[in-house]
Amino acid sequence: MAPDPSFSERPLPFDADEVAEIAPLPKGRLPSYMADHRRRLRERFLSGGAEAMPDYELLELLLFLAVPRQDMKPLARRLIDEFGDLNRVLAAPIPRLSGIEGVGPSVVGALKLVEAVAHRMARARVIARPVLSGWEPLLDYCRTVMAHRETEQFRVLFLDRRNVLVADEAQARGTVDHVPVYPREVVKRALELNASALILVHNHPSGDPTPSEADIAMTAQIEAAAGALGIMLHDHLVIGKSRETSFRAEGLL
């Protein structure tokens, strides 16, 4: 027997974003208090720049673009309270973001788009350029991509004979305190790219970039495997929350 349509119900949306996407809000002007607040924020940003605003206000400005006709101040504060600062909000995993009240697909999409643009801009300063003569942009890129991750990631920067960066690849992702790395795979990929040198990079989500014994042992294995094939290991960078450690500077290479 076919179900009686009079007893069927449309599933309720989970949050405000999904309400807007399923049933767009009626067209109309924002309440005057909200429109004035948004105008003041934009004016402060345009006149004073990002330095004139705390993280939650910058985040609020961004959320205006994702959800045009709702008050975004409570959500901005909720996200900062949950993750700590704007960098960590942008870098937060999608499942964690989606678990925050008021965060729907539009908000997640806006946050991840800004994160991707930030990564692309930082990468553009180092790709296809001599790395060793522009070390600070390289560090900026590594900090942008890795400093605020909640789990460990291991990346390899592949350089040609002129020490120009030809490829930057995430080789492995791990847990909060461990990432599996296979020296044979690192060297194999270097040969595929015809790379002459490597820079290893990984992050410590704890914030402390002090290399562990496992980090030191793994680096020695990669250096030996690469050296046997004439590939130079320039450095291994461990990225923390506010600083980084260079194996080369610490005498570990």
Side-chain angles (χ1 to χ4, degrees):
M1 178 178 178
D4 185 345
S6 63
F7 289 97
S8 63
E9 292 185 352
R10 185 179 183 180
L12 291 174
F14 290 105
D15 57 39
D17 282 354
E18 292 176 358
V19 170
E21 291 183 10
I22 294 172
L25 295 174
K27 291 184 178 180
R29 301 183 63 181
L30 285 169
S32 60
Y33 76 91
M34 194 183 301
D36 289 344
H37 172 65
R38 292 190 173 196
R39 176 180 51 78
R40 287 193 298 270
L41 278 186
R42 291 192 181 100
E43 288 175 352
R44 282 176 52 209
F45 175 72
L46 292 174
S47 62
E51 297 301 321
M53 307 181 75
D55 278 4
Y56 80 89
E57 288 185 338
L58 282 176
L59 182 56
E60 190 179 356
L61 278 172
L62 171 59
L63 294 176
F64 292 166
L65 303 177
V67 186
R69 294 190 296 278
Q70 294 180 29
D71 183 4
M72 290 291 99
K73 186 174 182 178
L75 179 56
R77 287 188 174 277
R78 196 177 304 137
L79 287 166
I80 295 295
D81 288 344
E82 175 69 23
F83 296 104
D85 60 31
L86 181 57
N87 285 320
R88 292 186 179 91
V89 172
L90 296 177
I94 290 176
R96 283 202 61 196
L97 285 171
S98 299
I100 303 298
E101 180 186 356
V103 174
S106 294
V107 169
V108 170
L111 295 176
K112 288 302 161 187
L113 176 60
V114 172
E115 182 191 27
V117 169
H119 291 183
R120 190 70 59 88
M121 290 176 66
R123 186 173 184 269
R125 297 180 62 200
V126 296
I127 197 70
R129 300 187 183 188
V131 167
L132 300 186
S133 61
W135 197 246
E136 196 58 37
L138 176 68
L139 290 178
D140 286 343
Y141 170 61
C142 293
R143 294 182 194 116
T144 299
V145 174
M146 303 180 74
H148 303 285
R149 294 180 57 87
E150 295 185 345
T151 57
E152 284 199 17
Q153 182 186 71
F154 179 78
R155 305 182 76 89
V156 182
L157 310 182
F158 299 93
L159 314 179
D160 66 13
R161 294 185 182 278
R162 297 171 297 149
N163 288 318
V164 169
L165 183 63
V166 295
D168 157 40
E169 297 181 355
Q171 296 287 305
R173 295 173 173 83
T175 63
V176 294
D177 60 1
H178 174 72
V179 60
V181 178
Y182 304 100
R184 182 176 64 181
E185 294 301 316
V186 172
V187 175
K188 176 184 175 183
R189 184 59 177 152
L191 293 174
E192 291 173 350
L193 293 169
N194 198 29
S196 298
L198 309 172
I199 297 175
L200 311 178
V201 190
H202 84 283
N203 63 306
H204 279 181
S206 67
D208 179 4
T210 303
S212 66
E213 291 300 322
D215 294 338
I216 295 170
M218 175 267 292
T219 304
Q221 292 172 6
I222 292 178
E223 182 181 29
L229 296 171
I231 300 170
M232 174 72 175
L233 178 57
H234 281 314
D235 209 342
H236 184 171
L237 302 174
V238 185
I239 307 297
K241 285 288 193 297
S242 58
R243 61 187 181 91
E244 56 284 327
T245 295
S246 159
F247 272 51
R248 181 71 62 184
E250 295 296 321
L252 297 173
L253 270 178

